[in-house]
Amino acid sequence: MSTAFASSPSKVGDLLTTNSLPNDRIVIPTFQRGYMWKKKHVEAFWHDIDKQRIQSRTKGTDPHFFGPIVTLSNPIDAVIWLLDGQQRLATATVLLSVLRDVGREITKQTGMQAGGDFAVKLQLQFIYDEDGGYSLEMGETDMLYFRNTIQIDPPVTTKATNLTHRNIQTARTTLWEKVISVTGAIQPQMDAIQAIATLKEIKQTVVSDLVMARIPVNSQESAFKIFTTLNDRGLRLSPPDLLLSYLMETTPTSDRKELRATWTQMIQKMGTHDIHDFLRAMWVSRYGDLKKDDLFTALKNYIEQHHVGSLDFARQCGDECDDYIQLAIADETQLPKESFPFVRALTRELGFKPTLPLLLSSYLLLQPEDFEKVAKYLLVFVTRYSIIGNLDSAGMEDLLFRLAREVRAMVKDENDKTGSKQATDAIKLALSANSPDDPAVKNAIMKETTVLDPSDAKYVMKRLANFMQDPQKQVVVGDTNVEHIYPQNPAENEWGGKANQEKLEPLTWHIGNLTIFGRKANKKVENFEYHIKQSKYAASQVVMTNEIASKYATWDDSTIMDRAAHLAGFVVQVWNFANPSRV
């Protein structure tokens, strides 16, 4: 019987021991993602460790199953490639580094040499040995940062330049706090003997009581295949992980280094932004929505059906990634000056991701003045359809994704001015035809259930305040906050007591209950009753707020709805396809 894929138990300590045979060194392949565990994953890891530590005091306790790993031995390079298990082994290494540094700090604070001796021994056994090298070598994205901040003794302060670096930093901080919680604070008067004994107990748990089921493969091709199919075995890999693995598998060996470098550079550019969001935006803006297939399957099928080279596809992703990031972060240094405020409103103020495919297509192909118009039309549409209308998000995405594809079909290239104008006109027509008309918008505003979330409220109320301040755009409202007239945290005996507050509380985030107020003034009156706020509003230079004081003597649910009707007239003027300059 074949022994392919047969598993065998391996202790974490055996995998990370530096002074065993040279080919026991564990190396993360270049195609793998970086360190992705968040604080919640690290905390769950610690919970398992600490629970096992206590249980192991009883003789005969079973070890803790730490999950499967997949490895590929490479005797020529004297390494074992780790195909799956990076997050767990990296976190175990982070914890060992914390134990090392806590031990050394105990010696520094108390003078007890045993802490320093423990630190030296742990470092040489499980992290780094001058003859054997590093027990775990991270992939290209994290290798230097992980070495500097975790594996080098003592660690070197190094700036975290991307998301995975910050994840490592968080893991280190979290585990330090957890270890200190069981050793006690490190100080000259601490019980150093007991603290060092606790460190040794934790170390023993990590290296001896965590057991992994090791699944070996015998070829690079099998390694790529098993990495890809792990997703079907319940080990949830993200579509970008699967796609990169597939691209690495299908590209010639001579192109793999460039492909990995292209992908790594793209990940670094993404920073804290999710690469999955970018790939999805690129896909739907080119080829369609993803109702039948998941993202990985759709991309894989397209590449195979159209015979697209893996390296060419990676380069294409890299090129469009630059433009996507400029839009997603609203990069003022790269975006055209005229369109920047409107892109910023869509992607930063509102965080409205469904607009990104259409923005991406438009940014790549339309003339700058047409791109500015599209960004404005999108703000009108999003406000009428989603923020005020609260209409079906699926229908909105279908429309936006279709328009993103139509832009690419209608415009030949970035120099096609005629196609650019035709596409822009088509976008305006489609968005306006699918938006609620003026009566529908006003009717939606008058529903008691139409409430705004905080980011939407800030955007809508500031634009309304600016318009009411000066419709000709000569004056804008300055440093202000959103103010709840009926407050979020009223005192129990105020605002009519419990009975009246039960009527008002559902309207706290209703447009009729919101205004714009100076930041400092807002802090001073935010929870006061209306008769106190009224005098403050009367002194405000903000027209929207000042007129509340002059128009309303009291504040209740009927007043809120009356004011909502008043503001509705301004809403349809600001978010207007015929003149969207105030969005």
Side-chain angles (χ1 to χ4, degrees):
M1 180 182 289
S2 170
T3 59
F5 308 135
S7 65
S8 60
S10 293
K11 296 178 181 179
V12 167
D14 293 338
L15 293 166
L16 294 179
T17 298
T18 59
N19 55 11
S20 59
L21 295 176
N23 66 355
D24 280 346
R25 188 166 61 92
I26 304 294
V27 177
I28 309 300
T30 56
F31 65 80
Q32 282 230 39
R33 59 182 172 176
Y35 184 78
M36 298 303 296
W37 269 16
K38 305 297 183 184
K39 184 176 182 179
K40 64 180 180 180
H41 303 115
V42 177
E43 288 178 334
F45 164 80
W46 170 259
H47 174 77
D48 291 342
I49 295 288
D50 201 40
K51 182 179 178 182
Q52 182 67 31
R53 175 177 72 92
I54 304 301
Q55 291 177 344
S56 294
R57 293 172 181 170
T58 303
K59 251 187 172 181
T61 300
D62 290 332
H64 175 71
F65 178 61
F66 203 34
I69 61 170
V70 181
T71 61
L72 167 66
S73 295
N74 188 338
I76 297 176
D77 293 332
V79 300
I80 291 177
W81 298 103
L82 183 65
L83 280 303
D84 183 70
Q86 173 192 185
Q87 311 299 321
R88 285 163 287 156
L89 282 184
T91 307
T93 301
V94 173
L95 177 53
L96 291 172
S97 77
V98 168
L99 298 177
R100 173 198 68 202
D101 295 341
V102 170
R104 183 164 285 114
E105 188 65 19
I106 289 173
T107 295
K108 180 180 177 181
Q109 292 293 326
T110 68
M112 181 164 285
Q113 187 56 41
D117 294 341
F118 167 80
V120 170
K121 187 174 181 181
L122 188 153
Q123 174 75 2
L124 294 177
Q125 273 189 307
F126 301 108
I127 301 178
Y128 178 75
D129 178 79
E130 291 183 358
D131 296 325
Y134 294 97
S135 60
L136 177 67
E137 184 174 301
M138 298 292 277
E140 183 178 351
T141 303
D142 295 335
M143 181 171 23
L144 289 178
Y145 185 82
F146 195 79
R147 283 186 183 178
N148 286 340
T149 61
I150 303 299
Q151 294 173 308
I152 289 177
D153 183 26
V156 177
T157 300
T158 305
K159 183 179 179 181
T161 59
N162 59 43
L163 174 63
T164 56
H165 294 176
R166 287 187 284 275
N167 290 340
I168 294 168
Q169 191 177 62
T170 299
R172 163 89 178 180
T173 302
T174 301
L175 290 173
W176 181 280
E177 292 171 354
K178 296 296 185 183
V179 170
I180 296 301
S181 72
V182 294
T183 63
I186 304 174
Q187 53 189 348
Q189 295 79 25
M190 71 184 298
D191 186 344
I193 295 176
Q194 180 56 50
I196 294 168
T198 301
L199 295 180
K200 290 180 178 179
E201 190 178 46
I202 299 170
K203 187 232 19 173
Q204 190 64 22
T205 301
V206 174
V207 301
S208 298
D209 293 339
L210 301 186
V211 176
M212 311 179 86
R214 180 174 170 184
I215 306 171
V217 293
N218 55 18
S219 71
Q220 195 171 48
E221 287 69 27
S222 296
F224 286 123
K225 283 184 173 66
I226 202 168
F227 181 74
T228 303
T229 56
L230 277 172
N231 201 50
D232 299 323
R233 299 183 181 188
L235 302 175
R236 308 311 297 175
L237 302 174
S238 70
D241 296 331
L242 296 167
L243 177 61
L244 176 57
S245 175
Y246 169 75
L247 294 175
M248 292 289 287
E249 177 188 351
T250 54
T251 200
T253 304
S254 59
D255 288 341
R256 282 177 179 161
K257 185 174 182 180
E258 181 181 348
L259 193 154
R260 174 66 251 198
T262 300
W263 203 267
T264 297
Q265 187 178 38
M266 184 169 64
I267 291 173
Q268 290 173 340
K269 289 175 182 176
M270 292 297 296
T272 59
H273 292 271
D274 192 339
I275 190 173
H276 178 276
D277 291 340
F278 158 63
L279 290 172
R280 187 171 188 268
M282 187 184 81
W283 170 266
V284 299
S285 72
R286 283 177 171 269
Y287 313 116
D289 203 358
L290 295 160
K291 289 191 167 51
K292 293 182 179 179
D293 295 320
D294 61 90
L295 178 61
F296 168 65
T297 302
L299 290 167
K300 177 175 177 289
N301 289 343
Y302 176 82
I303 290 168
E304 291 177 349
Q305 291 168 10
H306 293 81
H307 308 291
V308 179
S310 296
L311 181 56
D312 290 337
F313 184 80
R315 288 169 176 162
Q316 184 183 94
C317 290
D319 290 342
E320 293 208 8
C321 174
D322 289 340
D323 298 299
Y324 174 86
I325 288 298
Q326 290 170 21
L327 295 168
I329 68 173
D331 187 346
E332 190 171 6
T333 66
Q334 298 295 324
L335 292 172
K337 179 181 178 181
E338 293 74 18
S339 58
F340 165 72
F342 311 109
V343 175
R344 178 183 59 191
L346 283 165
T347 63
R348 275 173 37 188
E349 292 182 56
L350 296 174
F352 213 77
K353 290 182 180 179
T355 62
L356 279 167
L358 179 52
L359 284 174
L360 182 61
S361 292
S362 302
Y363 187 43
L364 288 168
L365 293 168
L366 300 187
Q367 299 298 300
E369 61 273 18
D370 290 330
F371 175 66
E372 179 189 348
K373 291 178 182 178
V374 168
K376 290 178 180 177
Y377 297 150
L378 278 170
L379 280 168
V380 175
F381 176 76
V382 165
T383 304
R384 284 179 170 249
Y385 188 101
S386 181
I387 296 176
I388 303 297
N390 197 27
L391 297 177
D392 176 39
S393 60
M396 175 188 62
E397 287 192 352
D398 288 343
L399 172 64
L400 297 181
F401 296 168
R402 173 174 63 80
L403 291 173
R405 297 192 302 278
E406 288 181 2
V407 168
R408 295 194 188 242
M410 293 176 69
V411 187
K412 297 176 184 178
D413 54 46
E414 59 186 14
N415 298 312
D416 183 4
K417 294 183 179 180
T418 300
S420 176
K421 184 180 185 308
Q422 290 174 343
T424 303
D425 291 342
I427 290 169
K428 178 183 179 182
L429 181 64
L431 293 180
S432 59
N434 286 276
S435 289
D437 59 16
D438 288 358
V441 170
K442 292 179 179 180
N443 183 57
I445 289 173
M446 292 307 299
K447 293 179 181 178
E448 292 188 0
T449 54
T450 302
V451 294
L452 306 179
D453 70 28
S455 60
D456 293 348
K458 185 176 181 180
Y459 167 73
V460 169
M461 299 312 295
K462 284 201 170 186
R463 292 330 186 260
L464 284 176
N466 283 337
F467 182 76
M468 295 171 70
Q469 199 77 14
D470 178 12
Q472 302 306 316
K473 300 189 296 182
Q474 299 300 311
V475 179
V476 296
V477 174
D479 188 25
T480 53
N481 272 346
V482 172
E483 155 82 351
H484 299 78
I485 303 166
Y486 168 74
Q488 297 185 82
N489 300 297
E492 288 185 17
N493 61 336
E494 295 182 345
W495 290 90
K498 183 177 180 181
N500 198 51
Q501 288 185 26
E502 286 179 353
K503 293 181 182 179
L504 290 170
E505 195 280 330
L507 299 173
T508 304
W509 283 95
H510 196 281
I511 191 171
N513 188 57
L514 302 175
T515 189
I516 291 295
F517 209 24
R519 291 180 187 272
K520 293 181 180 179
N522 178 281
K523 287 290 182 184
K524 291 179 181 177
V525 304
E526 58 184 347
N527 290 323
F528 290 169
E529 288 194 271
Y530 182 68
H531 68 275
I532 299 174
K533 288 189 171 189
Q534 186 180 17
S535 62
K536 303 294 184 182
Y537 292 169
S540 175
Q541 298 299 308
V542 179
V543 170
M544 170 189 278
T545 303
N546 181 272
E547 75 170 22
I548 295 171
S550 61
K551 191 170 183 180
Y552 301 107
T554 60
W555 198 258
D556 55 26
D557 53 334
S558 62
T559 311
I560 290 173
M561 299 314 297
D562 181 80
R563 181 166 178 268
H566 172 61
L567 293 179
F570 295 113
V571 169
V572 296
Q573 292 181 69
V574 173
W575 289 277
N576 179 0
F577 284 103
N579 181 21
S581 61
R582 295 308 300 252
V583 299

